[in-house]
Amino acid sequence: MKSLENNAFIWFKQFMKKRYYRSGNKNAESRPSRPIHYPELTAGADKALKKVFSRIGVPEKQPFVPDPFQLEAIEAISTSDCLVTAPTGAGKTWIAEQAAKRILENNGKVWYATPLKALTNSIHAGFSKIFGKENVGILTGDIKENTNADIIIGTTEILRNQLYDAMYTGQNLKSDLIILDEAHFLGDAERGVVWEEIMIYLPVRIPLLLLSATIGNPNQIAGWLSTIRDKPCKVVENTERPVPLFPLFFHPSGTLYPLLEKTGKNGNRTRLYKKVYKFNQSGKRLMLAPPGKLPKFSDILKVLSHFDLLPAIFFLKSRAECDRAIKLCDGSLLKSAPEKKQALKERLVELTADNPHLSAHPQRPYLEETATAAHHSGHLPDWKVVVETLMAEGLLDAMFATSTVAAGVNFPARSVVILNSDRFNGRDFLSLTASEFQQMAGRAGRRGMDNIGFATVLPGKYMDVSLVAKLVNAPPLNVDSQIKIDFSMVLNLLLSNTPEQVRTLLEKSFASYLIAIGAKAGKSGRKARKKFGNNMEYLWLDFTEHMDFLIQEGFVTPEGTRPATLTEDGLWASKLRIDSPLLVAQSLRDKLLPERDPALLAAMMAAFVNEKEFKDDMLFNTTLSKRLKDAFLVLRRGLKPFAIKMLQSGFPAPNLFIQPASLVYAWAHDTSWDELMRKSDFAEGDFARLVLRTSENLRQMTHLKQDFPVFAKTAAEAIDMILKSPVLTV
């Protein structure tokens, strides 16, 4: 176990002396790089693909007829809760639209929650076209429009916060239907607790519609919901893809093979296609690129184009690989399609006309000349919208993306190309799960635009072909409970419940249900027991440990003849629904934050929300603003005793770094975006997220008007200073 000093060295160590970290050989840049030898590719296809490739094309337009599962779901939600599981593109959003339409026809209101801001924006745009802009509002933290509309599209965290408020005020949530999209996020390690809280706190009178493509245990989730909500939850399953998927193998010679072949008496099993198996078993084999190098994507695109398999989404291991990939495309396909090239250029001008930063984006020349683009979280939200729009409109031949793009954003292609059988989860490289593979493969095949979609596997150092073969037809993983206790949850539950009432709420958790049904829960039950023990005492103990610390620090009254409840400090601290509510609350109590300087306040809040570690934190940089440095040191030194108490009690206390604070401070003072990026270790998308998260933390501070009116006013001014182009989305 790490010592307290190792867990939060920033609170315990003396300030570091200035050091410069350099890597690599000084003369490396002067050395000429060796040319990379790529194999010559000749487009070819195994004869077994003749019948499959004959199906490629655009289906005839036909009037829309709902599928049976869609009608079944619409009927179910009118009398009960409903969990819909169906492949990507099968029409789950249509179910949501029809369910919302019924509610509006009866003068009701709808709340549509999604896990991603990009998906929220997409659903908002679609619903606005259907129901009219005046009837649809959006809530994503940084965007707040038409909040009294009959339909609200927002993120799950905001819905959870509204449920907290409803419990406190005793008022009913103004909604007659809750739609939770991407419901498999219930099993997300970081954010799944928010989904679980919503399902536990939601008033029984409000029907709940859950939509997901990848849930292995829908009946367990429905059984749990039926138990805690005392009303039936019907499961509606559809396993048929609207566009069939065919897996391919891209041989390094340029020949395409089926990845799998049927076997068994009835052909109900699959195995690696014999030629692919032979290639996979061979010792020394031809590769598309030397180890550690990316393949020449222009050659791969030519092969795919030859068989009419474009557009394609390539899933790569990292953001850096996506950015390098577009430089390995020569644009030869676009040269032979002058009309498409002109249309792409004109549309790009339209999309970037009002945004000078996007007009001069460094990747724009590659996009214009090659009809390819990179898409990942390191890019600005606005640039990703441009790429998504061009891809959705069929103006790109290829998009190079990380696997995160597979979840929740709707711009499929005719083909997806997978280069790695593992993915980075933020800490380690782990083998793809069936659900992760199916999310990526789910982007292959556009409904109404393709008769068939293709998932193509490229061999390479990090591709386990045998593993992918198993994942193609593997069932999705079970969703497990991710409930966990934090200070924001404890403060908000005690805001409107006694400790015993909280205990009752915790007993309603999905983990408790899985443990209770025991052997029937299978792996889910065993995981729940391993994580939470044989009963729910673990959760209750965790809750009481958090509560005891809050009692010790004066945010909660001691338990005696009356149940513990929030003190005056606890009441206003409960409004800080942020990552580090106690550290920020203590900063306010000890007057460690700048009260009247909005730029400085934004900078300090950026230090709280930052997740990036820095070896050299600029404290001894002579160009650092003295005003900023003094304010930062006051904050960090002043919080040290409280942070030590948290750590000694077993609670995390994040390190505070001045570099993110200095960047946000400069941004608030109108330093140009390009200059900031040149001096920063942040990618554009990462810094944009830092600014957006900082603004959300500041927005929470604006709720403290009664107890800290000056701070609330300064926080509002700070938001206006940092929320500006190019951070804001289109």
Side-chain angles (χ1 to χ4, degrees):
M1 182 175 179
K2 292 182 179 179
S3 67
L4 294 179
E5 183 173 10
N6 286 337
N7 278 338
F9 66 90
I10 209 72
W11 303 108
F12 297 86
K13 290 186 176 181
Q14 298 294 324
F15 298 133
M16 294 172 62
K17 291 184 178 180
K18 180 71 174 175
R19 292 186 176 93
Y20 293 91
Y21 294 84
R22 293 187 175 95
S23 61
N25 191 309
K26 292 181 181 179
N27 299 319
E29 291 185 5
S30 63
R31 294 175 182 170
S33 58
R34 293 180 179 178
I36 301 173
H37 296 287
Y38 293 105
E40 286 192 18
L41 305 186
T42 302
D46 189 85
K47 61 182 180 181
L49 291 174
K50 185 176 181 180
K51 186 176 179 181
V52 175
F53 281 0
S54 69
R55 298 169 61 188
I56 295 173
V58 180
E60 292 183 11
K61 288 191 177 181
Q62 297 178 344
F64 174 76
V65 178
D67 289 335
F69 88 93
Q70 293 174 311
L71 296 174
E72 183 184 356
I74 293 298
E75 182 63 28
I77 196 62
S78 65
T79 58
S80 66
D81 293 337
C82 182
L83 169 56
V84 180
T85 66
T88 300
K92 295 186 293 295
T93 304
W94 182 87
I95 297 171
E97 292 166 0
Q98 297 304 306
K101 184 179 179 182
R102 281 191 181 184
I103 296 297
L104 265 61
E105 286 172 350
N106 291 295
N107 300 315
K109 290 181 176 287
V110 177
W111 225 109
Y112 191 124
T114 88
L116 305 169
K117 289 181 180 179
L119 181 56
T120 300
N121 293 334
S122 175
I123 297 295
H124 175 257
F127 271 55
S128 295
K129 289 179 181 177
I130 295 170
F131 297 101
K133 288 185 178 180
E134 69 280 3
N135 295 314
V136 185
I138 185 168
L139 282 171
T140 64
D142 50 304
I143 302 176
K144 193 176 182 180
E145 296 175 1
N146 202 13
T147 57
N148 293 318
D150 292 336
I151 301 176
I152 295 297
I153 317 293
T155 51
T156 42
E157 280 78 4
I158 291 178
L159 174 57
R160 189 272 311 273
N161 290 345
Q162 289 192 357
L163 287 169
Y164 279 153
D165 292 335
M167 285 193 292
Y168 175 53
T169 61
Q171 297 177 345
N172 277 328
L173 184 71
K174 293 180 180 178
S175 181
D176 301 286
L177 172 66
I178 299 293
I179 302 168
L180 289 183
D181 206 348
E182 304 292 333
H184 57 274
F185 264 76
L186 173 66
D188 184 81
E190 296 300 320
R191 299 174 63 202
V193 61
V194 178
W195 269 254
E196 194 159 344
E197 283 189 90
I198 289 171
M199 296 177 198
I200 293 171
Y201 307 153
L202 188 67
V204 175
R205 70 168 184 85
I206 306 176
L208 181 60
L209 175 60
L210 306 171
L211 307 174
S212 179
T214 51
I215 291 182
N217 55 337
N219 289 319
Q220 286 181 357
I221 296 171
W224 165 59
L225 287 171
S226 298
T227 300
I228 66 170
R229 286 171 56 77
D230 197 27
K231 62 188 294 187
C233 177
K234 182 166 184 178
V235 175
V236 176
E237 291 185 271
N238 174 51
T239 57
E240 290 186 19
R241 283 175 49 98
V243 179
L245 176 72
F246 191 89
L248 296 172
F249 178 78
F250 194 113
H251 190 276
S253 64
T255 300
L256 297 176
Y257 294 102
L259 179 67
L260 304 172
E261 62 182 1
K262 291 183 178 180
T263 184
K265 262 188 177 182
N266 301 316
N268 56 355
R269 289 184 294 175
T270 59
R271 64 186 179 192
L272 279 177
Y273 186 61
K274 56 188 175 183
K275 293 178 183 177
V276 177
Y277 176 81
K278 185 177 179 181
F279 172 87
N280 200 44
Q281 292 297 110
S282 61
K284 191 175 181 181
R285 57 194 186 202
L286 181 67
M287 302 300 284
L288 283 162
K293 301 294 183 182
L294 290 173
K296 194 174 180 183
F297 288 108
S298 56
D299 291 347
I300 294 172
L301 288 174
K302 288 173 187 174
V303 173
L304 296 178
S305 175
H306 180 81
F307 294 105
D308 203 12
L309 296 175
L310 297 179
I313 300 174
F314 288 75
F315 288 109
L316 304 182
K317 189 179 290 288
S318 68
R319 303 190 310 193
E321 284 192 349
C322 294
D323 291 335
R324 289 202 300 271
I326 59 174
K327 299 175 183 178
L328 292 168
C329 299
D330 60 13
S332 56
L333 294 180
L334 202 57
K335 289 174 185 174
S336 60
E339 291 182 2
K340 180 177 179 178
K341 184 172 184 177
Q342 185 61 30
L344 170 61
K345 194 169 187 176
E346 290 174 359
R347 188 67 174 115
L348 193 52
V349 169
E350 291 175 8
L351 293 171
T352 62
D354 298 326
N355 192 320
H357 185 78
L358 296 185
S359 297
H361 196 281
Q363 291 192 2
R364 178 171 179 162
Y366 295 101
L367 194 155
E368 281 190 352
E369 294 301 318
T370 68
T372 68
H375 184 293
H376 56 69
S377 58
H379 289 307
L380 282 170
D382 275 4
W383 181 251
K384 289 193 289 185
V385 169
V386 169
V387 172
E388 291 163 13
T389 302
L390 294 172
M391 190 69 182
E393 293 177 358
L395 291 171
L396 296 184
D397 286 329
M399 184 173 75
F400 299 95
T402 54
S403 58
T404 52
V405 81
V409 181
N410 185 28
F411 44 93
R414 178 161 291 174
S415 302
V416 298
V417 183
I418 301 171
L419 279 76
N420 308 296
S421 57
D422 60 358
R423 69 183 292 265
F424 188 60
N425 68 355
R427 296 178 301 275
D428 306 294
F429 283 102
L430 301 175
S431 295
L432 287 175
T433 65
S435 297
E436 289 165 345
F437 174 82
Q438 286 158 14
Q439 280 186 337
M440 289 189 283
R443 297 297 157 203
R446 299 159 297 179
R447 189 169 191 170
M449 298 176 68
D450 292 310
N451 290 319
I452 187 170
F454 296 88
T456 304
V457 174
L458 260 64
K461 183 178 179 182
Y462 302 105
M463 171 54 72
D464 183 339
V465 178
S466 298
L467 171 65
V468 172
K470 294 175 183 176
L471 296 178
V472 171
N473 296 310
L477 296 179
N478 285 0
V479 167
D480 301 315
S481 175
Q482 299 296 337
I483 194 165
K484 54 190 173 186
I485 307 298
D486 60 34
F487 283 113
S488 184
M489 178 196 287
V490 174
L491 286 166
N492 278 279
L493 287 179
L494 289 176
L495 186 64
S496 48
N497 299 275
T498 66
E500 280 305 309
Q501 288 171 328
V502 172
R503 182 168 188 154
T504 300
L505 286 174
L506 294 178
E507 288 172 352
K508 291 183 176 181
S509 71
F510 186 37
S512 180
Y513 175 80
L514 291 174
I515 292 168
I517 63 175
K520 292 180 181 178
K523 288 184 179 179
S524 297
R526 290 195 292 276
K527 280 186 179 180
R529 282 192 295 276
K530 184 176 180 181
K531 185 173 181 179
F532 299 106
N534 289 322
N535 53 51
M536 290 313 296
E537 288 303 315
Y538 171 88
L539 269 182
W540 176 242
L541 177 62
D542 199 10
F543 178 86
T544 56
E545 287 177 349
H546 280 77
M547 185 173 69
D548 289 343
F549 186 80
L550 291 170
I551 291 171
Q552 172 189 317
E553 297 305 318
F555 291 99
V556 173
T557 63
E559 286 203 280
T561 55
R562 294 183 178 181
T565 188
L566 300 186
T567 64
E568 288 187 11
D569 283 356
L571 286 170
W572 59 257
S574 69
K575 298 175 184 176
L576 295 172
R577 292 160 184 166
I578 54 181
D579 295 337
S580 302
L582 283 201
L583 287 176
V584 174
Q586 190 65 26
S587 301
L588 289 168
R589 291 206 294 192
D590 291 346
K591 299 181 179 178
L592 302 176
L593 291 169
E595 189 176 21
R596 298 179 184 274
D597 187 328
L600 211 52
L601 180 59
M604 298 304 104
M605 295 309 294
F608 282 114
V609 306
N610 166 68
E611 295 177 338
K612 191 176 175 71
E613 292 282 333
F614 297 92
K615 293 180 180 179
D616 171 16
D617 197 30
M618 298 176 57
L619 272 170
F620 297 92
N621 190 324
T622 56
T623 63
L624 194 66
S625 160
K626 185 178 185 304
R627 184 175 178 81
L628 172 68
K629 181 177 176 180
D630 290 346
F632 179 79
L633 293 180
V634 165
L635 174 64
R636 199 165 76 172
R637 287 167 175 162
L639 272 182
K640 177 179 175 180
F642 188 77
I644 292 174
K645 285 183 187 178
M646 290 186 71
L647 290 163
Q648 289 174 335
S649 298
F651 303 114
N655 301 336
L656 299 186
F657 296 102
I658 200 169
Q659 187 170 152
S662 67
L663 289 170
V664 170
Y665 188 64
W667 178 238
H669 281 299
D670 293 328
T671 300
S672 77
W673 181 267
D674 291 338
E675 183 180 346
L676 280 176
M677 291 301 97
R678 281 196 301 271
K679 296 178 178 178
S680 166
D681 290 336
F682 283 85
E684 284 192 320
D686 293 336
F687 183 61
R689 271 190 305 282
L690 175 69
V691 172
L692 290 170
R693 290 188 64 210
T694 299
S695 69
E696 179 54 31
N697 275 244
L698 290 165
R699 186 171 283 106
Q700 298 295 322
M701 293 186 73
T702 65
H703 300 157
L704 307 181
K705 293 177 184 177
Q706 185 175 343
D707 297 276
F708 299 93
V710 178
F711 270 112
K713 182 175 180 294
T714 303
E717 293 171 358
I719 293 171
D720 290 338
M721 293 179 77
I722 63 174
L723 277 189
K724 53 191 175 183
S725 180
V727 172
L728 289 177
T729 54
V730 173

